[in-house]
């Protein structure tokens, strides 16, 4: 992986399996099984995303197939009960869809997933037209970056910028994504900044900052 992938557009899947509003329940299940996906964007004719139908949206049909829910369950799970009776994508989907733009950072996409409790985000343009999808697995691909790539980026974008003339060379070692910095530098105030910037490099798992400050004399 050349360079640091920083945006959704760097890691998203562009070939996307989708369904239309009128897709039937069984067709949705078949597509999920055929393509090994757990959710499908629902599109209108112009390619605009209007919702997402997921396995969680389909399961109420099985859950309530033989059960007659009590009054409390009916009040608490109105949406699930409605989906249990749905037969088309527009009746089953979660809408409006939780989406993201291609220029969003990976951290922003991860935050949206966590806050909205979704595992798949359609990637849309300014008009809401589908450009791709990004899932949890896509966001995790940054941790597959080779250690030497991480070391090169840390050297170029952090160490050489913050410590252009260290007292002794700053050594960078990376093992399984863990970055270790050692050496003596002149400015103590830059050490916390260096640790923070290294931690922000995509693919870094952790930082062990052992930089020390040279004696003034």
């Amino acid at each position: 992986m050349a360079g640091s992938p920083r945006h959704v557009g760097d890691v998203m899947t562009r070939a996307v399996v989708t369904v239309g509003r009128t897709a039937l329940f069984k067709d949705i299940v078949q597509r999920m099984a055929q393509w090994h996906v757990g959710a499908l964007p629902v599109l209108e004719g112009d390619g605009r995303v209007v919702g997402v139908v997921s396995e969680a949206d389909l399961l109420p049909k099985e859950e309530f197939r033989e059960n007659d829910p009590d009054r409390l369950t009916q009040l608490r799970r109105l949406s699930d009960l409605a989906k249990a009776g749905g037969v088309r994508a527009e009746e089953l989907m979660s809408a409006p869809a939780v989406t993201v733009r291609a220029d969003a950072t990976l951290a922003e996409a991860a935050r949206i997933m966590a806050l909205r409790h979704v595992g798949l985000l359609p990637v849309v343009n300014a008009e809401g037209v589908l450009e791709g999808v990004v899932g949890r697995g896509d966001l995790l691909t940054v941790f597959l970056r080779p250690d030497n790539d991480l070391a090169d980026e840390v050297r170029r974008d952090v160490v050489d910028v913050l410590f252009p003339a260290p007292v002794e060379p700053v050594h960078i070692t990376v093992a399984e994504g863990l970055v270790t910095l050692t050496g003596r530098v002149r400015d103590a105030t830059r050490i916390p900044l260096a640790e923070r910037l290294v931690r922000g490099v995509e693919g870094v798992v952790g930082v062990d900052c052992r930089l020390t400050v040279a004696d003034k004399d």
Side-chain angles (χ1 to χ4, degrees):
M1 188 179 297
S4 179
R6 301 185 185 277
H7 299 96
V8 167
D10 297 325
V11 300
M12 71 182 186
T13 300
R14 298 179 184 274
V16 185
V17 184
T18 65
V19 293
R21 281 183 173 272
T22 59
L24 297 178
F25 188 99
K26 189 171 182 178
D27 180 47
I28 295 170
V29 174
Q30 288 175 334
R31 291 196 186 194
M32 287 182 175
Q34 178 183 357
W35 295 99
H36 305 288
V37 295
L40 299 171
V42 182
L43 307 184
E44 288 190 326
D46 58 358
R48 188 168 60 88
V49 179
V50 294
V52 173
V53 60
S54 69
E55 292 169 333
D57 295 316
L58 304 181
L59 282 176
K61 186 174 290 294
E62 178 63 20
E63 179 183 357
F64 295 111
R65 184 168 57 86
E66 296 180 349
N67 296 330
D68 188 13
D70 57 33
R71 180 63 176 168
L72 179 59
T73 300
Q74 292 179 31
L75 292 174
R76 293 176 59 184
R77 301 186 61 187
L78 286 174
S79 176
D80 286 343
L81 287 168
K83 290 179 181 180
V87 295
R88 294 186 297 275
E90 61 187 358
E91 301 165 334
L92 299 160
M93 67 185 184
S94 296
V98 181
T99 62
V100 70
R101 296 284 293 276
D103 59 358
T105 66
L106 302 186
E108 288 171 337
R111 191 174 302 115
I112 292 171
M113 285 185 181
L115 293 176
R116 300 300 296 272
H117 305 288
V118 295
L120 182 83
L121 292 173
V123 183
V124 299
N125 64 16
E127 288 72 42
V129 175
L130 185 71
E131 295 185 330
V133 294
V134 63
R136 294 187 180 105
D138 297 315
L139 298 183
L140 291 174
T141 59
V142 296
F143 294 106
L144 299 178
R145 294 185 69 196
D147 288 340
N148 61 322
D149 282 2
L150 297 176
D152 289 344
E153 183 168 342
V154 169
R155 170 71 64 187
R156 180 185 67 247
D157 294 347
V158 180
V159 170
D160 287 352
V161 174
L162 292 181
F163 310 112
V167 178
E168 62 184 41
V170 174
H171 295 287
I172 304 165
T173 58
V174 186
E176 300 298 325
L178 174 63
V179 179
T180 301
L181 303 176
T182 56
R184 291 196 302 158
V185 298
R186 303 179 190 280
D187 189 347
T189 64
R190 297 192 177 192
I191 294 177
L193 176 60
E195 182 173 357
R196 185 166 68 251
L197 291 177
V198 172
R199 199 176 301 277
V201 172
E202 297 290 357
V204 168
V205 174
V207 182
D208 182 6
C209 186
R210 303 179 187 178
L211 296 175
T212 59
V213 182
D215 296 334
K216 293 185 182 294
D217 55 9

